[in-house]
Amino acid sequence: ATSVCFARKHIRSFLQEMAAALTAPSGPVALAPAFRLTHTAVNSFKGSADNDPSYIMGLASPAAAAAAVAVAGSERELKLYDRATLQCTRTVAAPAHADRVNEVSFAPPRSAAAGLLFSASSDGAVRAWDCGGGGGGGAAPSLELRGGREEVWSVSVSDGPLVAAGTQAALLLWDVRRADTPAARLEVHTDAVSAVRFQPGSATALVSGSVDGLICSIDCRQTNDDDAVTGVINEGRPVSSLGFFGPEPASHLHVLSSLETLSVWDLQQQAGTCLARHDALRREVDMLGEEEAAAGAGDGIDYL
């Protein structure tokens, strides 16, 4: 079986230190503390059989302290794992889509779709799944959203009725109360929209990242491209993933590029301010992996 290792805990520790510095009561916002590696957590998920070729395409947890984590596998299956034991507790759907599952995301508690797990696929669909109760992998989705045949790379759910998806050509928005057709199609990037994230606590504030190297702040109350974009950041590298951190309403963003570099941004200003940039992140993680491997405590890192 194939094992995939994720190095996230040391990045999370760095972001927590940044959040503390950014919310300190004394004086203006200071620059982030120097990046340092404090710990590496290696989570290995293996297939249910020795000949299972599945590997991890995406992870999602309903909350930071949640007991479960959802896993999207390369065999198009969706499974729930116990976060403490890393044992599979339920197969949500197998297969969940007709093509690769690119990302999974839980709806937040205040969302109109609270309790559902959303999956984005190269088959052009976004599906929502009820993760409660039993199931053997043959469950039907609770909701299916489509806006064409374009591959869907990313999905995010607001603290309201909106669901956003990044596709090969556009950013799509749906209202889950009227989900037959997209509520808006925004063509604000010149390449694939690889990452979308609603601001925590917001029903309408969204950021989108693209292979074109740009990050756009979006007001989802607007349906016109020009009116919807409230700010643009030039990351300069193809965006692989992004996310908010800090207390609500979170205004700081961490961005991972396809070149495995990390940057941190303050979105309080329209143009955005880069607080930190780490272009040698992969090399640093590899070095830590070598140290752990030499001590017999780890197997190194496959990818970030």
Side-chain angles (χ1 to χ4, degrees):
T2 302
S3 298
V4 179
C5 301
F6 289 79
R8 296 183 184 276
K9 191 170 181 179
H10 64 284
I11 298 176
R12 186 181 302 113
S13 174
F14 163 69
L15 294 175
Q16 288 171 346
E17 290 183 16
M18 279 203 60
L22 292 168
T23 57
S26 59
V29 174
L31 286 178
F35 181 76
R36 65 182 185 276
L37 298 174
T38 58
H39 186 72
T40 297
V42 178
N43 298 332
S44 296
F45 293 85
K46 296 185 178 181
S48 57
D50 290 340
N51 61 351
D52 187 346
S54 185
Y55 55 92
I56 298 171
M57 303 299 294
L59 297 170
S61 186
V69 60
V71 175
S74 60
E75 296 302 293
R76 299 173 287 135
E77 78 279 12
L78 296 179
K79 296 181 179 180
L80 294 183
Y81 281 78
D82 182 278
R83 196 165 183 169
T85 66
L86 301 184
Q87 297 298 310
C88 180
T89 59
R90 183 189 173 197
T91 298
V92 178
H97 288 269
D99 206 335
R100 180 181 58 237
V101 181
N102 294 312
E103 188 172 73
V104 285
S105 178
F106 280 97
R110 290 172 287 187
S111 167
L116 297 180
L117 172 67
F118 284 75
S119 57
S121 172
S122 291
D123 66 7
V126 172
R127 289 179 172 174
W129 308 87
D130 184 356
C131 293
S142 301
L143 183 68
E144 179 170 300
L145 308 174
R146 283 189 177 272
R149 298 181 179 180
E150 304 164 50
E151 292 183 84
V152 184
W153 300 112
S154 181
V155 61
S156 182
V157 188
S158 75
D159 272 36
L162 296 181
V163 175
T167 75
Q168 187 65 26
L171 167 64
L172 299 180
L173 296 171
W174 289 270
D175 185 324
V176 295
R177 300 166 300 182
R178 300 177 293 275
D180 293 342
T181 58
R185 177 185 174 92
L186 301 175
E187 298 182 0
V188 297
H189 291 280
T190 59
D191 211 325
V193 183
S194 50
V196 291
R197 288 294 180 271
F198 276 100
Q199 184 179 31
S202 175
T204 58
L206 177 80
V207 293
S208 62
S210 170
V211 177
D212 65 10
L214 299 181
I215 299 168
C216 294
S217 296
I218 305 293
D219 181 355
C220 295
R221 294 170 296 184
Q222 307 295 329
T223 58
N224 176 274
D225 292 355
D226 294 334
D227 295 336
V229 177
T230 61
V232 179
I233 291 173
N234 184 3
E235 159 56 29
R237 299 170 175 85
V239 175
S240 175
S241 64
L242 50 76
F244 286 94
F245 70 98
E248 294 185 9
S251 60
H252 297 90
L253 200 67
H254 56 85
V255 181
L256 191 67
S257 78
S258 61
L259 303 180
E260 297 182 330
T261 62
L262 173 69
S263 59
V264 181
W265 298 81
D266 180 357
L267 301 185
Q268 294 181 13
Q269 301 181 23
Q270 185 176 17
T273 301
C274 185
L275 300 178
R277 185 180 291 279
H278 305 282
D279 293 338
L281 184 63
R282 174 59 182 267
R283 188 184 316 136
E284 294 176 27
V285 172
D286 282 345
M287 290 174 62
L288 180 63
E290 291 173 2
E291 294 173 3
E292 290 184 333
D299 298 321
I301 303 302
D302 291 330
Y303 59 84
L304 299 178

